[in-house]
Amino acid sequence: MRLGAFLSALRPALPLLLGLSLGCSLSLLRASWSHSAAEERCLAPGPPAPPARGAPPEAGEGRPGPGHEDFRPRIVPYYRDPNKPYKKVLRTRYIQTELGFHERLFVAVLTSKATLNTLAVAVNKTVAHHFPRLLYFTGLRSAKDDTYAQAEQVKALVTHLSINQDVYLGRAEEFIGGDEQARYCHGGFGYLLSRSLLLKLHPHLDSCRNEILSVRPDEWLGRCIIDFLGITCVSQLQGQHYHTYELAKNTELEKEEEEEFQAALAVHPVSDMTLMYRLHKQFSRIQLDRVYQEIQDLQMQIRNLTALTPAGEAGVTWPVGINAPFLPKSRFEVISWDYFTEQHLFSCPDGSPKCELSGASKADVSEIIESAVEQLNRRYQPLLRFSKRQLLNGYRRFDPTRGMEYTLDLLLEAATQKGHSHVLAKRVSLVRPLSKVEIIPMPYVTEATRVQLVLPLTVQDLDFVANFLDMFAMNTLDTHDNALLTLLFIYHPYDAQRVGQVDVFAGVKAMVGELEKRYAEVKIPWISVKTEVPSQVKLMDIVSKKHPVDTLFFLASVWTEINMEFLNRCRMNTISNWQVFFPVHFQEFNPALVYRGEQTASSNTDFLRDGHFDRHSFAEACFYNSDYMTARTKLAADILDRDEVLESMEVFDVFLHYSGLHLFRAVEPGLVQKYTLRSCNARLSEDLYHRCVLSNLEGLASRSHLAMALFEQEQANST
């Protein structure tokens, strides 16, 4: 009875117990097989068995073949030799470099010396910016570069092909008098070859040169692949089609609407550069129409789906598919609107209430007005035809979540089909949405470059030198950072005459001497300059001549607290013959206005409360000496020895107007400056003096702090 009761109680759990026991038995059995197989390999160290015929090397051992290993991420090992002194490890800039990633598509263009400056240039201008790697091959014989390729379509085709298979894809053509089943890819329309196929073909190239005779290179290559690899050209592979279009003479491209033409990846033959550019324009228009149609389809789907949501049709944002407008959580987060007309802007960069609309802003307003009238005509034609008379009011603001928003009050003339016209005012709203973020290709740089700090000093800066040198020693000398310092003593002519009796910079020179005693391997040179107007360009001219052309300068200010974090960004953001870096430092507010004796400043700066990024200051800059010398040479040819012009310029102006480099200007949280009231030199240009005054005024405190200070002052006066 007890056994029966036990079995009846155990019956519901029997399937679970059987499953667990069976799983454990199979896992133990599998582990024993794996262990025995591993032991056999260890006990038999003889030569490995040869792979099967046709299989790539290493495939018989379970490892990927030569066509596969380059596409698998790998960790680059780090080995430290104990017999050598420790050296800082330099990591690569991109993770794909460290993992050994390769580009998926390599494009080769066969050209000739006769067409290198014509068709090859046209090919480069139409497709080069779409492909990550593009190389040109030229020789004595004339090659085929009379092909137009739709770059985006080619990239889309490649992304759908498996890299593990041999690919010989193009426009398949029959050999003259050859096997009907064998095909070669026509070179005029281009073709795709996989890396695995090229690796297999490489050992047979010498045999192909000796055994195959053909006038056409594409036929020769096709015969070589067929004879030694048994692979023929195909026009479709893995469900993907290689569409081509043979261009007839005197074809009107603008009227070409055939489906075969619109779907073509490659067009051949293209006789001249003009035809190449016309093809590019036509295919760009076709691609743009497709994108607009896709946008309309997506908008329709969004409307249909939104109607099924709890919010209903009220949840549809305008424009459909664009992020909803930013909703401020307080009055300090409200995005203000800028008012403009067709001639003037009433929110000027320099703070003035009214300025002339010019440059990019004027082009932007003109384009928006034209687009508004075009959209009205597209909506109301053929019943009404609108034409602009005047812009009554214009408003715009930049919403970081969606783009630039516009509201226009337009005075329009509306004409009917019967010829009647009427003048009316209409308000329209437009949005210029943010497009897809693009990563700009940049040259490769490292963090090992030596930075040469240049610090100009005047008599007014003496109170801040000690703190600067202390921070420099703690953050660069103690950490053995690859950075040097050069001091630039700017003497007033009166102080320069008395330097034999009283040297105003004697205290600074003594501090430098103490640093050189503390750090025996460090030398801090200084340069003395006598001038009444310390022009930044003139000072930099003196420093530039005393350093090699490959020197990376960091033009600093005495209020800057140097740290390794910023120096690394200075190295990474400054690229020789490509880009200069002008950081926007963080300026702390006046503590007397921020805390007003009631609070104490915390050690960690609150970037929203205790200061602001000073966009009026261009005192800090990172650039290479070679780039400065090139721009300075162009400036010298323009001003023709008129040195007084240099007093109205900064280094930023030199690079902006006399170099073709990228000027990278960005906020830099690593550059923090304590509050100080700077002395603005009235002998500099009006623009430089005005910027200095604005920097001082905006650096006092935020609006809320100033408002509280005024309120407390009024309260005190009233009592």
Side-chain angles (χ1 to χ4, degrees):
M1 293 296 292
R2 293 180 179 178
L3 182 60
F6 177 74
L7 292 176
S8 62
L10 191 63
R11 185 176 294 112
L14 284 177
L16 177 62
L17 295 175
L18 290 175
L20 288 174
S21 60
L22 181 60
C24 293
S25 302
L26 291 176
S27 63
L28 292 174
L29 185 61
R30 182 172 178 236
S32 63
W33 286 347
S34 302
H35 183 67
S36 62
E39 289 179 347
E40 289 177 2
R41 284 197 296 269
C42 294
L43 294 175
R53 180 176 179 83
E58 301 181 352
E61 301 181 10
R63 297 195 297 264
H68 299 198
E69 72 276 3
D70 286 339
F71 294 97
R72 301 183 63 178
R74 64 180 185 274
I75 302 298
V76 179
Y78 168 65
Y79 171 73
R80 178 183 175 186
D81 191 348
N83 299 323
K84 295 183 179 180
Y86 173 75
K87 186 178 180 181
K88 181 181 178 181
V89 180
L90 295 178
R91 303 295 299 272
T92 55
R93 185 180 183 186
Y94 301 106
I95 190 172
Q96 67 173 9
T97 306
E98 192 158 334
L99 294 179
F101 286 161
H102 289 257
E103 298 291 349
R104 191 178 183 90
L105 181 62
F106 168 79
V107 180
V109 179
L110 304 181
T111 184
S112 62
K113 294 183 178 180
T115 59
L116 187 61
N117 296 323
T118 54
L119 284 175
V121 172
V123 172
N124 189 69
K125 289 184 176 181
T126 54
V127 302
H129 54 285
H130 293 280
F131 296 128
R133 187 68 60 86
L134 179 68
L135 289 182
Y136 289 81
F137 296 88
T138 183
L140 299 177
R141 298 182 180 181
S142 60
K144 295 292 183 181
D145 55 0
D146 55 348
T147 306
Y148 174 79
Q150 283 205 74
E152 293 298 329
Q153 299 290 88
V154 174
K155 289 198 300 184
L157 173 66
V158 171
T159 55
H160 288 84
L161 294 177
S162 174
I163 61 176
N164 296 327
Q165 297 185 10
D166 297 332
V167 177
Y168 184 33
L169 182 64
R171 176 163 173 161
E173 298 284 347
E174 296 183 2
F175 290 98
I176 300 177
D179 186 5
E180 295 182 357
Q181 301 297 327
R183 299 285 192 275
Y184 72 95
C185 289
H186 195 290
F189 297 94
Y191 42 84
L192 291 172
L193 297 172
S194 64
R195 184 174 182 271
S196 61
L197 184 141
L198 291 176
L199 290 175
K200 294 178 181 179
L201 186 64
H202 181 264
H204 308 291
L205 289 178
D206 291 336
S207 301
C208 292
R209 293 192 189 99
N210 299 328
E211 300 176 8
I212 301 176
L213 298 177
S214 179
V215 179
R216 294 174 54 93
D218 49 3
E219 289 188 9
W220 176 87
L221 179 62
R223 177 57 64 188
C224 181
I225 295 174
I226 292 172
D227 290 350
F228 290 91
L229 302 182
I231 300 174
T232 183
C233 175
V234 293
S235 298
Q236 58 178 349
L237 182 66
Q238 302 174 14
Q240 302 299 314
H241 295 263
Y242 193 94
H243 297 286
T244 60
Y245 185 82
E246 187 170 355
L247 194 64
K249 293 183 178 179
N250 302 323
T251 302
E252 296 185 15
L253 298 178
E254 291 72 17
K255 298 182 180 179
E256 190 64 61
E257 300 292 342
E258 294 184 20
E259 184 177 353
E260 181 183 359
F261 176 79
Q262 297 189 6
L265 276 75
V267 179
H268 171 79
V270 183
S271 57
D272 54 51
M273 296 175 58
T274 304
L275 186 57
M276 184 79 73
Y277 296 135
R278 288 174 59 197
L279 277 168
H280 187 63
K281 179 181 179 181
Q282 181 66 7
F283 279 111
S284 298
R285 184 190 64 81
I286 294 173
Q287 187 68 23
L288 194 61
D289 292 340
R290 290 175 183 169
V291 172
Y292 283 144
Q293 186 60 45
E294 290 178 4
I295 292 175
Q296 292 180 5
D297 295 341
L298 290 173
Q299 289 178 339
M300 183 61 67
Q301 295 177 19
I302 292 173
R303 289 192 185 97
N304 295 336
L305 292 175
T306 308
L308 303 177
T309 61
E313 295 183 358
V316 180
T317 60
W318 181 88
V320 179
I322 305 297
N323 294 333
F326 171 73
L327 294 177
K329 297 180 180 179
S330 66
R331 60 189 179 92
F332 298 105
E333 297 181 356
V334 175
I335 304 175
S336 60
W337 290 85
D338 297 334
Y339 179 77
F340 63 88
T341 62
E342 293 186 75
Q343 293 80 26
H344 295 92
L345 182 66
F346 292 84
S347 296
C348 305
D350 58 355
S352 58
K354 181 181 178 180
C355 56
E356 185 178 356
L357 195 64
S358 60
S361 294
K362 187 175 183 63
D364 175 63
V365 171
S366 301
E367 184 180 357
I368 286 298
I369 295 175
E370 181 181 350
S371 177
V373 176
E374 180 182 350
Q375 293 294 333
L376 288 173
N377 286 325
R378 184 177 301 176
R379 175 174 296 185
Y380 292 102
Q381 277 187 349
L383 300 178
L384 292 175
R385 174 70 181 177
F386 292 96
S387 58
K388 180 187 74 74
R389 279 200 169 187
Q390 183 184 354
L391 173 64
L392 300 177
N393 302 292
Y395 309 88
R396 68 179 180 183
R397 71 172 183 177
F398 178 72
D399 188 337
T401 63
R402 53 194 261 136
M404 186 71 78
E405 299 178 349
Y406 304 85
T407 299
L408 306 178
D409 293 330
L410 296 172
L411 187 64
L412 303 169
E413 181 177 355
T416 63
Q417 290 178 313
K418 296 182 179 180
H420 302 291
S421 62
H422 180 69
V423 178
L424 54 88
K426 194 171 185 65
R427 168 166 286 192
V428 295
S429 298
L430 302 96
V431 175
R432 191 191 296 271
L434 294 173
S435 59
K436 182 180 179 181
V437 177
E438 179 182 1
I439 299 178
I440 302 176
M442 302 291 287
Y444 184 82
V445 294
T446 66
E447 299 178 358
T449 308
R450 172 176 292 177
V451 180
Q452 177 66 58
L453 281 77
V454 179
L455 179 66
L457 292 175
T458 62
V459 178
Q460 291 80 9
D461 304 331
L462 294 179
D463 295 337
F464 309 97
V465 179
N467 181 69
F468 177 90
L469 293 178
D470 289 342
M471 298 300 296
F472 173 76
M474 181 176 63
N475 294 329
T476 60
L477 301 183
D478 291 342
T479 59
H480 301 284
D481 192 274
N482 196 8
L484 301 177
L485 175 63
T486 297
L487 299 179
L488 198 60
F489 296 141
I490 304 173
Y491 286 89
H492 190 274
Y494 175 75
D495 296 328
Q497 294 176 358
R498 302 172 58 247
V499 71
Q501 295 80 22
V502 179
D503 188 356
V504 293
F505 293 105
V508 181
K509 295 177 181 178
M511 285 186 265
V512 171
E514 291 295 329
L515 281 180
E516 292 180 343
K517 290 180 181 179
R518 191 191 315 171
Y519 305 94
E521 72 281 1
V522 175
K523 297 297 180 183
I524 303 179
W526 65 70
I527 303 172
S528 299
V529 180
K530 181 180 70 173
T531 180
E532 293 185 6
V533 184
S535 168
Q536 196 181 51
V537 178
K538 288 184 177 180
L539 297 177
M540 199 61 226
D541 288 346
I542 299 173
V543 178
S544 176
K545 296 176 182 178
K546 297 182 179 296
H547 289 85
V549 294
D550 59 346
T551 303
L552 172 58
F553 285 124
F554 168 44
L555 189 57
S557 60
V558 71
W559 308 282
T560 305
E561 296 182 354
I562 305 299
N563 58 68
M564 186 184 301
E565 178 186 0
F566 166 72
L567 291 179
N568 283 336
R569 276 199 288 270
C570 178
R571 297 180 178 104
M572 301 298 287
N573 292 330
T574 309
I575 305 173
S576 179
N577 199 30
W578 184 269
Q579 179 173 283
V580 292
F581 179 40
F582 287 86
V584 182
H585 68 257
F586 183 81
Q587 178 69 52
E588 294 186 358
F589 287 143
N590 188 345
L593 293 174
V594 173
Y595 302 107
R596 301 186 303 280
E598 299 178 1
Q599 307 174 35
T600 57
S602 60
S603 58
N604 296 326
T605 301
D606 185 351
F607 288 99
L608 297 178
R609 186 177 186 275
D610 298 338
H612 75 121
F613 289 101
D614 189 1
R615 59 187 179 89
H616 298 291
S617 175
F618 294 85
E620 292 85 13
C622 295
F623 53 89
Y624 278 92
N625 193 16
S626 58
D627 295 334
Y628 177 79
M629 294 172 65
T630 302
R632 187 64 178 86
T633 303
K634 295 180 181 179
L635 171 62
D638 187 34
I639 63 176
L640 298 177
D641 297 332
R642 290 181 293 133
D643 291 342
E644 65 276 5
V645 179
L646 301 179
E647 299 177 0
S648 63
M649 302 181 67
E650 291 184 315
V651 173
F652 178 81
D653 302 311
V654 175
F655 283 108
L656 179 63
H657 299 290
Y658 297 96
S659 76
L661 306 179
H662 295 85
L663 269 68
F664 183 40
R665 179 125 169 105
V667 294
E668 178 50 64
L671 281 182
V672 180
Q673 295 189 5
K674 298 294 183 181
Y675 171 77
T676 180
L677 186 64
R678 296 177 177 82
S679 60
C680 300
N681 194 332
R683 301 196 59 176
L684 294 175
S685 67
E686 182 180 356
D687 181 53
L688 296 180
Y689 179 78
H690 183 61
R691 287 212 307 250
C692 179
V693 172
L694 284 179
S695 177
N696 279 335
L697 293 177
E698 293 185 3
L700 288 174
S702 64
R703 291 184 179 182
S704 60
H705 293 136
L706 293 174
M708 290 299 298
L710 289 175
F711 177 75
E712 292 177 358
Q713 183 178 2
E714 291 180 358
Q715 290 291 100
N717 293 336
S718 63
T719 56

